[in-house]
Amino acid sequence: MSDSPEISASTLSSRARTIVLVVALLNLAGCLVEAGIAAAIGSASLFADAADFLEDFLINILVVTALGWSLASRRKASYVLAGLILIPACSAIGMAIWKMVTHEPPEALTLSATAVGAMIINLVCALLLAQLRNAGNALTRGAWLAARNDVAANLLILAAGVVTMFWFSAWPDIVVGLVIGVINLRAANEVFEQARAEDPELEED
Ligand SMILES: [Zn+2]
């Protein structure tokens, strides 16, 4: 769930780059832990959120590494990124559909606890990025908005976990997994549209 990855990274200060890199690594760690737990307890919503962590990792890494690249290279990288984001987003939706077939509810307490853990990671990312939010940079503002939205997604997963404690059903997990998966698909589309919209002829410099 990241807005505006295709941003002029060249305007980022080295302090801002460090912050974005730390955020990238936090997202990678979140992805690995969450994907492991999702597989262990069979949760569609955690799997979708792990896909989101992966997507945010890729976007933040692109932001840091694309610094100084030519516009054409950055645009190409954005197309590749949009394609890469599609893979976890589609597999998250596939996982939700698979859960509809197997219909086994995830372990509710682990699901809720993992949602809280993921929320803490995303809150830290949002706080880190908030320091850059007023720098007048579209990138950092977009990244901050994305981290904030991810906290909201974690609240949805927590709600699914709590509901599952009282209503032993696979549906809360499946529904939240589908919601997060569809939002991630839209993010891939946004990256693609942005890359396409960035016409070199429209660029000022
Ligand atoms: Zn996200």
Side-chain angles (χ1 to χ4, degrees):
M1 271 175 244
S2 283
D3 314 11
S4 347
E6 179 49 53
I7 336 102
S8 60
S10 51
T11 58
L12 275 184
S13 69
S14 70
R15 176 173 157 275
R17 280 206 310 273
T18 306
I19 288 177
V20 175
L21 189 62
V22 169
V23 168
L25 294 177
L26 280 172
N27 276 291
L28 179 63
C31 169
L32 295 175
V33 172
E34 208 173 38
I37 296 173
I41 67 170
S43 165
S45 61
L46 282 187
F47 190 72
D49 201 51
D52 183 85
F53 269 133
L54 179 62
E55 171 198 313
D56 292 344
F57 164 71
L58 291 171
I59 288 173
N60 282 292
I61 282 295
L62 177 74
V63 164
V64 174
T65 55
L67 179 87
W69 288 8
S70 72
L71 185 67
S73 304
R74 277 193 285 126
R75 195 172 43 183
K76 247 178 253 167
S78 293
Y79 280 126
V80 173
L81 180 68
L84 279 178
I85 292 173
L86 272 180
I87 300 169
C90 288
S91 51
I93 289 172
M95 171 74 163
I97 292 168
W98 171 245
K99 292 300 289 184
M100 287 181 201
V101 178
T102 61
H103 223 83
E104 181 113 3
E107 206 279 297
L109 197 62
T110 310
L111 179 62
S112 309
T114 310
V116 172
M119 205 183 307
I120 291 169
I121 292 180
N122 282 314
L123 272 174
V124 170
C125 290
L127 287 174
L128 282 170
L129 293 166
Q131 300 176 35
L132 310 175
R133 183 161 60 110
N134 297 320
N137 184 313
L139 147 65
T140 49
R141 174 152 183 86
W144 179 77
L145 285 172
R148 194 196 59 181
N149 291 346
D150 289 348
V151 173
N154 296 142
L155 280 172
L156 278 182
I157 300 174
L158 178 60
V162 171
V163 169
T164 308
M165 283 179 204
F166 300 100
W167 178 42
F168 192 70
S169 163
W171 282 111
D173 177 57
I174 291 171
V175 169
V176 172
L178 280 176
V179 168
I180 297 174
V182 167
I183 291 172
N184 286 352
L185 272 186
R186 282 186 45 205
N189 186 52
E190 267 166 41
V191 173
F192 180 76
E193 294 284 318
Q194 235 159 1
R196 203 171 50 175
E198 192 170 347
D199 194 308
E201 285 143 44
L202 300 175
E203 199 68 358
E204 306 276 332
D205 46 353

